[in-house]
Amino acid sequence: MQSPTSKGEKFLYAQLRSMLDDPDSMPDDAWAQLLARDNNISNAEVTMHVALPSSAAAEDSLLHAIEKLAEALSSSDAFAHFYREFGWASPYEYFSALGESQVMVVDIDHNDSDDRLAIILLACQAASANSARLIDTPDSRCYVYLDARTYETKSGLTMWRTLQLAARLNQALASHGASVQPIFSDSNSILQLISAYLKVPADTAELDAKVSGTSDLLQDSPKNMQGCLMSGVPATVWLLGGLCLKQAADIEHCIAKGIRFTLFEQAQPAWQSIQVTASWQAPEPLQPSWTFPPLGLEDAEHGYGAEPSNVRSSEGTYPETIATYMRLQQIAASSASFTYVCPALSRSNAFLPVPPGMPMLKVSGRPLNVIPGKEYEVKKAIDAPRTQRAFSGLLKAACSTNESTIYAELCIDSTDDAGGKRPELAAVDKYGTFMADAILVCLAARPRAHMKLKKMTRRLAFVRIPGSGECTLQCKKGTE
């Protein structure tokens, strides 16, 4: 099969378009006309709570968390206080807001290296809060689930890294009443996939020989979210990577059971599908007008693949992946038990789309790039000396107290388990990771009153671009 020769071919002449609007407002004329056309494949309108932190605030939140985690790993008193560094007044406030079970949709080391620190931070935060409850309630437990099903049929590396991280965190945090568990659909299939990747016999004892505890974790791993979450209580989902249909279906099923969800999404909530030339320094640049269909090839090129990569990432085709994402939006829009939160950051300073003629929303660029490994190399940061000290301090503390667990995880670089280079992480090797997932946890795993959220209406439309020759897009509702 020939490689696509244009962005249009790559994305099958389809675009996911978006905008943010005032709550309960009617669509503007341009959006209404887009929805009225036959080119509209699917659309959704969902209430979101959006924060627009500055780059400096985002960096400070991450560095503060890393600095305090280093202290927490070095002192039991500091560990018990760690969750309070995010603004929580008590463990009861923490678990009432986030729930005793939190699910992280992850793709560890699939094409970036930032999931790991996000998971470590959240697991230690939850364990810290639970340790404070153990004084009064010795049998208190909390759970962090790593849902890796988006890539569970193809990526042995991602499955192994998920299982390994969960096992090591359990060793480090079990005394605090915290449990970290992977979610896999079928443990036997995962064993075959991991064993092929590690080049060992398909025997769980071989996994335990590499990292203790992985065998039991794999055999006992839940198959879905439905058995992990309790009816009538709050639960949190962290959307750190691409979504699969099974995960969306689980959320829908759990809502029907009476579970109240808060979903935190790392990807920015909207993106420009047209060229915007306004200066970011301008006080209130207005959203340019636009028409649909686009006025020619050059105009159309701006809209292909404009959405964040997490939105279009999965094992499925582009239309299948977008159909799953749109299903999640429709589930969120139809349920009063679903709170959607997005602390928005972008790759670089940009504008979020709004109705034409209205002042655009400024979204700040992610402030830093870091190359993980036994020594963290800071490629970019607002405060590079502090960033270097923070990561070095974390590695030193983890090495002193958790060498075989948290430290071993923090030292993982962009190579595979045999030490080979991975072409898919060449950009991380060269430029570093944005630490986007870790920043999300640091910004969002705190009381909502601290986040400066603004309630907005998010509009999405998956549309076919007309005039694309013989190419037609077949987009149907996916099946498991």
Side-chain angles (χ1 to χ4, degrees):
M1 183 176 179
Q2 289 185 333
S3 299
T5 58
S6 68
K7 289 180 71 176
E9 286 186 40
K10 179 179 179 180
F11 294 100
L12 303 179
Y13 297 99
Q15 298 178 358
L16 182 59
R17 295 204 163 204
S18 64
M19 74 153 50
L20 296 175
D21 207 345
D22 292 332
D24 304 318
S25 59
M26 297 296 293
D28 64 90
D29 289 345
W31 193 264
Q33 290 172 18
L34 180 149
L35 296 184
R37 295 184 64 95
D38 292 339
N39 308 80
N40 175 22
I41 301 167
S42 63
N43 62 85
E45 185 176 291
V46 62
T47 297
M48 292 191 84
H49 300 268
V50 179
L52 296 170
S54 67
S55 299
E59 179 172 295
D60 180 69
S61 71
L62 175 65
L63 297 184
H64 179 77
I66 291 172
E67 291 160 352
K68 294 304 177 181
L69 179 58
E71 294 177 12
L73 295 178
S74 304
S75 159
S76 57
D77 288 342
F79 189 88
H81 192 272
F82 177 62
Y83 78 99
R84 290 178 176 264
E85 297 294 342
F86 295 80
W88 301 104
S90 73
Y92 307 102
E93 180 191 21
Y94 179 86
F95 290 112
S96 292
L98 299 182
E100 296 183 347
S101 297
Q102 300 187 62
V103 179
M104 306 184 85
V105 176
V106 298
D107 53 1
I108 298 173
D109 294 343
H110 172 66
N111 59 1
D112 203 349
S113 303
D114 60 337
D115 291 56
R116 180 172 290 100
L117 182 57
I119 294 164
I120 291 172
L121 284 166
L122 186 72
C124 287
Q125 184 196 60
S128 170
N130 197 65
S131 69
R133 293 196 301 178
L134 292 176
I135 299 171
D136 299 324
T137 313
D139 60 348
S140 294
R141 301 286 295 172
C142 65
Y143 302 88
V144 175
Y145 294 97
L146 308 182
D147 193 333
R149 289 177 291 168
T150 303
Y151 292 98
E152 69 176 354
T153 68
K154 294 182 180 179
S155 181
L157 180 147
T158 294
M159 298 305 104
W160 170 240
R161 297 282 175 87
T162 303
L163 185 64
Q164 174 181 257
L165 175 56
R168 285 172 168 167
L169 285 175
N170 281 331
Q171 292 173 38
L173 302 177
S175 63
H176 302 288
S179 176
V180 181
Q181 299 181 26
I183 297 177
F184 301 131
S185 296
D186 180 64
S187 58
N188 289 327
S189 298
I190 298 300
L191 175 60
Q192 298 295 327
L193 197 62
I194 290 176
S195 300
Y197 163 66
L198 294 176
K199 295 181 172 60
V200 298
D203 185 336
T204 55
E206 295 285 346
L207 307 187
D208 260 348
K210 290 185 173 293
V211 176
S212 176
T214 51
S215 172
D216 287 345
L217 261 185
L218 178 59
Q219 292 173 341
D220 298 337
S221 63
K223 299 181 184 302
N224 51 49
M225 295 184 204
Q226 298 173 28
C228 306
L229 307 177
M230 294 177 59
S231 301
V233 298
T236 297
V237 173
W238 297 84
L239 188 53
L240 306 185
L243 191 74
C244 74
L245 190 62
K246 292 178 181 178
Q247 293 158 343
D250 274 359
I251 291 172
E252 187 171 32
H253 178 87
C254 289
I255 288 174
K257 286 172 52 180
I259 294 170
R260 295 177 283 114
F261 277 104
T262 297
L263 186 144
F264 295 110
E265 184 167 12
Q266 183 255 84
Q268 67 188 67
W271 46 90
Q272 296 284 354
S273 298
I274 61 172
Q275 185 175 19
V276 175
T277 59
S279 168
W280 207 73
Q281 284 71 36
E284 283 194 327
L286 304 182
Q287 174 69 37
S289 61
W290 54 274
T291 60
F292 188 88
L295 301 174
L297 179 61
E298 183 178 351
D299 191 21
E301 288 285 296
H302 293 290
Y304 291 122
E307 68 278 349
S309 59
N310 276 0
V311 172
R312 61 172 182 271
S313 296
S314 81
E315 291 181 336
T317 65
Y318 179 66
E320 290 169 346
T321 302
I322 298 301
T324 298
Y325 188 76
M326 293 298 287
R327 180 175 177 183
L328 175 66
Q329 305 309 305
Q330 291 158 355
I331 293 168
S334 63
S335 173
S337 300
F338 197 105
T339 303
Y340 210 142
V341 181
C342 181
L345 291 166
S346 185
R347 286 181 174 268
S348 57
N349 292 342
F351 298 103
L352 301 180
V354 296
M358 300 299 292
M360 291 185 287
L361 299 172
K362 292 183 177 181
V363 57
S364 298
R366 295 191 182 95
L368 51 79
N369 292 86
V370 180
I371 301 177
K374 292 182 178 179
E375 294 183 2
Y376 279 48
E377 181 182 352
V378 179
K379 302 293 287 186
K380 183 186 78 171
I382 296 172
D383 189 341
R386 181 189 176 194
T387 303
Q388 191 66 66
R389 287 194 305 271
F391 280 104
S392 297
L394 178 59
L395 287 171
K396 182 178 179 180
C399 183
S400 298
T401 59
N402 295 268
E403 184 175 9
S404 64
T405 56
I406 293 175
Y407 177 72
E409 284 294 322
L410 291 171
C411 287
I412 292 175
D413 57 21
S414 59
T415 59
D416 63 23
D417 286 77
K421 287 286 187 182
R422 299 180 59 210
E424 60 269 37
L425 290 185
V428 174
D429 261 343
K430 185 174 182 180
Y431 304 109
T433 173
F434 287 109
M435 288 292 176
D437 294 340
I439 289 174
L440 171 67
V441 168
C442 295
L443 289 172
R446 58 183 64 245
R448 204 170 299 170
H450 294 202
M451 295 176 62
K452 299 180 180 178
L453 295 168
K454 182 178 181 181
K455 185 178 178 181
M456 306 199 77
T457 293
R458 179 201 210 188
R459 307 190 200 281
L460 292 174
F462 190 39
V463 295
R464 183 184 298 107
I465 302 301
S468 52
E470 298 300 319
C471 180
T472 59
L473 176 68
Q474 293 183 349
C475 181
K476 60 183 179 180
K477 205 169 187 179
T479 57
E480 295 186 23

